[in-house]
Amino acid sequence: MSIAERISSLKEGFPKSVTLVAVSKTHPIEAIQKAYEVGQRVFGENKVQEMVEKSEQLPTDIKWHLIGHLQTNKVKYIAPFVTLIHSIDSEKLLKEVNKRARQNDRIIDCLLQIHIAEEDTKFGLNASEVMDILASDKFMEFENVRIVGLMGMATFTDDEAQVRREFQQLKSLFDQLNNDFPSTENWQPTELSMGMSGDYELAIEQGSTMVRVGSKIFGARDYS
Ligand SMILES: *Cc1c(COP(=O)(O)O)cnc(C)c1O
């Protein structure tokens, strides 16, 4: 199947309201162009330098999403153009994004990354850390960031019941935060970014609004 065919068959399988983030990390410009030609506009990258280089060579109406761990000293490179940062995992990082957004005279949309997987290798905040951020005075002063929801990655396992449970847990935290923290200028949670190639169907079933799909579109990644 071609990239175009894979995108259209994916999209047939889920509701129009779910945003498809085509995760293009490690794949060349030509692959992104093929997806662009069939109307795909949202692309996800996990490395700052790769995203910057690709963005310079591709059409400016692409919406670039940063999905991987972000170091504070690299925020400045993506601040001028990034559409959504999925991986905010500390108040310190959020503060830096706010500062760089202000310098670029824009508001940057962000998701708080929540740790839901069993493995401790995955980055993210736990429920109480999220609540601490949302309740803090500092957060209220961040005028150049807008938290539009949460992101999470399930454990990499064949155990469907476990993956479903982890997605459920994230959805219920999302609902709870929506309930406990009324929306403000910089807290407008509508998006729940969960689901990748192996588990996007489960994620959508559990309330995902945004799936990040790489290998199902572009094929296996070659890290060599
Ligand atoms: C690589 C990556 C994906 C996409 O993974 P696939 O299994 O190829 O779909 C999704 N989310 C994050 C955070 C990633 O790093």
Side-chain angles (χ1 to χ4, degrees), residues 76-95:
K76 57 179 177 285
Y77 303 115
I78 59 168
F81 70 94
V82 67
T83 299
L84 180 63
I85 299 173
H86 289 235
S87 44
I88 300 292
D89 58 3
S90 69
E91 192 181 74
K92 180 173 157 241
L93 179 58
L94 196 58
K95 184 181 176 190

Side-chain angles (χ1 to χ4, degrees), residues 3-221:
I3 287 173
E5 284 163 343
R6 289 192 190 133
I7 289 178
S8 68
S9 81
L10 258 176
K11 287 195 146 176
E12 272 165 27
F14 56 73
K16 283 242 175 331
S17 57
V18 174
T19 302
L20 173 62
V21 181
V23 176
S24 47
K25 65 189 188 196
T26 77
H27 295 288
I29 296 287
E30 297 74 49
I32 300 176
Q33 262 156 348
K34 290 205 179 94
Y36 182 89
E37 278 161 23
V38 293
Q40 181 66 29
R41 290 295 179 272
V42 183
F43 292 89
E45 291 283 340
N46 70 336
K47 296 224 160 66
V48 165
Q49 196 187 341
E50 188 174 340
M51 191 166 97
V52 170
E53 284 169 8
K54 285 174 171 173
S55 73
E56 285 165 353
Q57 298 172 61
L58 285 157
T60 54
D61 64 341
I62 286 182
K63 295 183 168 79
W64 292 101
H65 287 202
L66 198 281
I67 59 170
H69 182 63
L70 177 59
Q71 290 171 288
T72 47
N73 61 353
K74 296 201 172 154
V75 173
K76 57 179 177 285
Y77 303 115
I78 59 168
F81 70 94
V82 67
T83 299
L84 180 63
I85 299 173
H86 289 235
S87 44
I88 300 292
D89 58 3
S90 69
E91 192 181 74
K92 180 173 157 241
L93 179 58
L94 196 58
K95 184 181 176 190
E96 177 67 12
V97 173
N98 184 65
K99 173 181 159 187
R100 299 299 179 180
R102 180 157 24 82
Q103 287 174 353
N104 284 277
D105 198 20
R106 57 190 299 244
I107 292 171
I108 297 180
D109 285 344
C110 297
L111 303 175
L112 297 173
Q113 183 172 351
I114 310 298
H115 183 99
I116 52 170
E118 255 174 25
E119 305 116 294
D120 12 284
T121 49
K122 285 178 183 157
F123 295 98
L125 302 155
N126 63 36
S128 75
E129 288 167 332
V130 172
M131 292 184 221
D132 285 349
I133 291 178
L134 295 177
S136 75
D137 293 337
K138 259 200 218 147
F139 175 61
M140 289 169 209
E141 289 164 13
F142 294 163
E143 293 180 340
N144 293 78
V145 289
R146 183 166 44 220
I147 306 290
V148 298
L150 306 180
M151 180 274 233
M153 281 168 94
T155 302
F156 189 71
T157 172
D158 287 336
D159 184 350
E160 265 194 29
Q162 183 180 349
V163 173
R164 182 178 287 113
R165 211 162 46 233
E166 291 173 0
F167 286 150
Q168 256 167 7
Q169 198 189 316
L170 183 57
K171 170 70 160 97
S172 81
L173 177 62
F174 177 77
D175 290 342
Q176 189 195 338
L177 295 174
N178 256 296
N179 188 60
D180 294 353
F181 295 87
S183 64
T184 61
E185 286 292 317
N186 61 3
W187 167 244
Q188 297 188 18
T190 54
E191 302 294 339
L192 193 50
S193 168
M194 57 185 197
M196 319 188 354
S197 291
D199 57 19
Y200 71 90
E201 283 158 316
L202 274 177
I204 291 170
E205 175 197 300
Q206 297 306 319
S208 171
T209 67
M210 200 172 255
V211 291
R212 310 175 308 271
V213 180
S215 37
K216 264 239 150 156
I217 296 174
F218 296 108
R221 284 180 291 275

